[in-house]
Amino acid sequence: MRKAIALFFVLFLLATGRSFSQGPSAMMPAIIEKDGRHALLVDGKPFLILGGQAHNSSAWPGMLPQLWSAIGELHANTLEVPIYWEQVEASPGKFDFSLIDTLLVQARQHKVRLVLLWFATWKNGSNHYMPEWMKRDAAKYPNITGSKGQPVDSPSPNTEAAAEADTKAFAAVMRYLKRADPKHTVIMVQVENEPGAWDSVRDYSAPAQKLFEGQVPAELLKPGVLKALNVPAVTGGSWQKVFGNNADEYFQAWSVARFIGQVAAAGKAEYPLPLYVNAALRDPLTNPSATTYESGGPTDNVIPIWKAAAPAVDLVAPDIYLSGSERILKVIDLYDRPDNALFVPEAGLSPERAKYLYTVIARGGIGFSPFGVDDNGRGATKTEIAERLAPFAQDYRMAAPMMRELAKWGFEGKIRAVVEREDHAGQTIDLGAWQAVISFGTGARNTDQVNAQSTGKAMIVQLDENTFILIGALCHFTFRPAGKNAGRAWQYLKVEEGQYENGAFKLLRILNGDETDWGGPRLGAAPTVLRATLIVR
Ligand code: DGJ
């Protein structure tokens, strides 16, 4: 209902161009959906997270200066930053929110939003951020037992005590945040970090085994859920009977999702910010065995289980460390669903991954963030830091002043994007009366050189039938008349270079002559924004 009201308001505002009379800061961040596309509303309007994630141990007051300097260098509008259960609740029931206070004050000073990462029961599949008093009580807060009775470095999702403790602590965090952050500097919270288990598909301890031998819960037996899992309709049965070879993994996914769903629901009841859970991915192309990846997290094959088990989690999100355009585009496809807003909370900080920002924007995704943007206390020089961040910083510098427009156009389905694949081949985009042809390369006219890495990218926003915003780097745009224009002679009426400022396109120069002849504009390494109007003659 809340989502429906928010959607109604935003559509009204988008249509009328008005803003909320009570002032934007009163608006809760929210995720809305329309026709299978999503927007993250911040201050009542679609917002695009141009994020940067801190290294794991960088959210300590003495480390924050180097973190803010990286965020500034990156031109990020959002810092994704951990808060640590071991620090927040160092003694049972005694909470210390000083880190949250510090982050709020400094984020506001830097005019940056926050996504808080609740490092708690799970951090990369382990319990390493549980407070010491929990680590010392292994009987009460057990880890998983493997299939051969071996200890596994991963908390069991099948015991109540840890779920209760995490639920209480997360609820306390969200209760505090509601009071401390009326300005909504924090726009989203990640619950846990890459949950699941490496080294065992599930918990084989006696209590967990008993649950595994019990009946599959009714939520998973709904026809829609079984269909999404490719399982024939049944009305009941044990995990083994209903899910066969996948029973162990599905039991683990249900158990982890149920646990985190409970934690998330308690937090949301205190303060209903958008919540998400990030996934350590499996190979999306080969359907590998669950013994080869982190079992139980929201990998692509168990998203329907997560949706059924954890309705308080607004979305599950892929952490992209895989390589190769086919793999990465497949992952993006699998996590962009009508019931799941696309968000990439972590991407490996390598130049070839920066281009997927374009794909995420075009698909109406709510944001993107490379991981480990700060120097992590290693003493790199300013130049080294700038070089490391440059592939992402260049795009963020271009996108930051127009992020509201990009988020709105993405939500409205007006953007198309292509990224350079390993074969460097050109690609086309159908735009009704036109077809855009994008080729990739570094060179000036007639001396196009293949890009050293496949880092070319292009995005086209269709403003009306003949007017387009062209954004890209290391590529060459041209057009062909298509549809009702097919076969006609054509030309550029005008190609303008500039940037969006305060909602309007601001001209830097008109491109003509060598800059647009021989097909159309060629863009260099720095992402460029053009407005092109085409005509047929
Ligand atoms: C993914 C995790 O979610 C991050 O916290 C961090 O551990 C990175 N892996 C390291 O590459």
Side-chain angles (χ1 to χ4, degrees):
M1 187 58 182
R2 198 164 38 79
K3 276 188 189 169
I5 292 170
L7 176 60
F8 172 79
F9 270 114
V10 82
L11 293 176
F12 173 76
L13 294 174
L14 289 176
T16 60
R18 289 195 220 169
S19 61
F20 290 89
S21 56
Q22 76 271 40
S25 64
M27 297 293 301
M28 272 299 286
I31 292 174
I32 55 166
E33 182 268 340
K34 182 172 184 284
D35 301 334
R37 305 182 76 87
H38 300 89
L40 168 65
L41 302 185
V42 173
D43 298 338
K45 290 176 291 185
F47 183 93
L48 176 65
I49 294 177
L50 300 169
Q53 185 164 144
H55 277 107
N56 292 168
S57 309
S58 297
W60 292 92
M63 300 301 290
L64 293 181
Q66 53 109 41
L67 188 50
W68 292 121
S69 109
I71 289 294
E73 184 67 47
L74 188 60
H75 299 273
N77 61 22
T78 306
L79 166 65
E80 297 179 4
V81 65
I83 50 171
Y84 315 113
W85 192 7
E86 64 178 353
Q87 186 272 332
V88 166
E89 195 185 3
S91 313
K94 293 211 168 64
F95 294 100
D96 172 359
F97 298 120
S98 55
L99 174 57
I100 294 181
D101 288 336
T102 304
L103 287 169
L104 287 175
V105 168
Q106 296 193 10
R108 288 172 196 150
Q109 281 164 355
H110 288 88
K111 298 194 172 26
V112 162
R113 302 283 179 154
L114 295 173
V115 171
L116 297 182
L117 317 175
W118 175 234
F119 280 15
T121 300
W122 282 274
K123 164 67 178 76
N124 295 28
S126 298
N127 74 351
H128 301 177
Y129 281 89
M130 273 186 186
E132 282 181 33
W133 52 270
M134 295 180 75
K135 286 183 189 148
R136 288 181 197 281
D137 195 348
K140 189 165 178 190
Y141 307 108
N143 271 348
I144 279 178
T145 302
S147 60
K148 298 188 176 63
Q150 78 278 22
V152 175
D153 181 18
S154 185
S156 172
N158 301 115
T159 52
E160 275 305 310
E164 265 173 37
D166 198 339
T167 301
K168 271 193 203 146
F170 187 64
V173 166
M174 296 299 280
R175 196 178 312 129
Y176 184 77
L177 208 52
K178 180 179 181 182
R179 196 149 51 82
D181 190 25
K183 295 183 175 152
H184 307 303
T185 298
V186 176
I187 53 176
M188 203 153 60
V189 177
Q190 177 185 294
V191 192
E192 317 295 333
N193 190 87
E194 293 193 350
W198 296 96
D199 301 325
S200 183
V201 176
R202 68 171 172 91
D203 188 1
Y204 294 85
S205 66
Q209 184 61 26
K210 197 163 165 225
L211 291 171
F212 180 72
E213 284 163 12
Q215 297 289 298
V216 171
E219 291 94 323
L220 288 189
L221 295 170
K222 291 188 179 147
V225 178
L226 291 176
K227 189 159 173 250
L229 293 167
N230 276 323
V231 172
V234 281
T235 52
S238 68
W239 289 87
Q240 196 66 58
K241 182 161 169 262
V242 176
F243 296 121
N245 288 342
N246 293 320
D248 293 324
E249 183 187 7
Y250 288 8
F251 173 74
Q252 165 78 352
W254 167 264
S255 307
V256 176
R258 191 75 175 163
F259 181 128
I260 295 176
Q262 175 187 319
V263 174
K268 204 161 229 180
E270 296 292 345
Y271 183 38
L273 276 182
L275 302 177
Y276 74 96
V277 176
N278 60 334
L281 300 176
R282 65 181 205 141
D283 186 330
L285 301 175
T286 57
N287 192 25
S289 149
T291 54
T292 64
Y293 54 89
E294 200 183 338
S295 173
T299 48
D300 66 81
N301 54 324
V302 295
I303 293 176
I305 296 180
W306 271 80
K307 293 288 170 192
V313 171
D314 295 274
L315 63 112
V316 293
D319 287 350
I320 299 185
Y321 292 89
L322 298 168
S323 306
S325 57
E326 190 188 358
R327 255 186 197 89
I328 294 178
L329 291 171
K330 181 71 185 176
V331 164
I332 289 175
D333 203 38
L334 288 166
Y335 284 82
D336 177 15
R337 305 162 38 121
D339 64 354
N340 199 68
L342 176 63
F343 176 48
V344 178
E346 291 182 39
L349 191 76
S350 70
E352 315 89 82
R353 296 206 183 86
K355 63 190 173 192
Y356 298 103
L357 169 67
Y358 285 50
T359 317
V360 168
I361 292 174
R363 298 194 70 140
I366 64 169
F368 189 84
S369 171
F371 172 80
V373 297
D374 57 303
D375 172 42
N376 207 7
R378 289 180 201 279
T381 63
K382 242 184 146 356
T383 317
E384 284 164 345
I385 294 171
E387 270 170 21
R388 199 169 145 261
L389 298 176
F392 292 85
Q394 286 183 327
D395 276 320
Y396 281 13
R397 192 187 298 121
M398 167 279 293
M402 62 188 303
M403 71 87 178
R404 293 287 190 182
E405 284 76 24
L406 291 170
K408 176 172 168 286
W409 291 327
F411 181 51
E412 293 168 347
K414 289 188 175 159
I415 313 183
R416 310 287 301 279
V418 291
V419 294
E420 185 174 10
R421 295 183 302 239
E422 290 73 7
D423 63 3
H424 309 288
Q427 297 175 51
T428 57
I429 296 178
D430 292 323
L431 300 161
W434 300 95
Q435 189 177 56
V437 183
I438 294 109
S439 53
F440 299 101
T442 61
R445 169 168 59 91
N446 294 339
T447 57
D448 248 351
Q449 284 187 356
V450 171
N451 293 324
Q453 290 169 298
S454 39
T455 44
K457 53 208 165 185
M459 175 158 52
I460 299 185
V461 187
Q462 182 148 26
L463 296 181
D464 61 39
E465 185 176 292
N466 301 315
T467 312
F468 306 95
I469 299 293
L470 314 179
I471 301 173
L474 298 170
C475 67
H476 175 207
F477 286 94
T478 190
F479 289 85
R480 289 183 199 133
K484 69 174 194 195
N485 286 345
R488 306 271 306 267
W490 73 282
Q491 71 178 135
Y492 292 103
L493 186 63
K494 186 150 66 167
V495 179
E496 301 158 285
E497 182 178 338
Q499 64 175 37
Y500 268 81
E501 264 176 35
N502 302 319
F505 184 82
K506 193 168 165 232
L507 181 78
L508 171 70
R509 58 175 174 163
I510 290 180
L511 292 189
N512 209 337
D514 290 347
E515 280 63 57
T516 51
D517 291 346
W518 292 276
R522 287 160 203 274
L523 305 183
T528 302
V529 181
L530 307 176
R531 181 166 66 184
T533 310
L534 316 181
I535 48 164
V536 283
R537 301 177 60 88

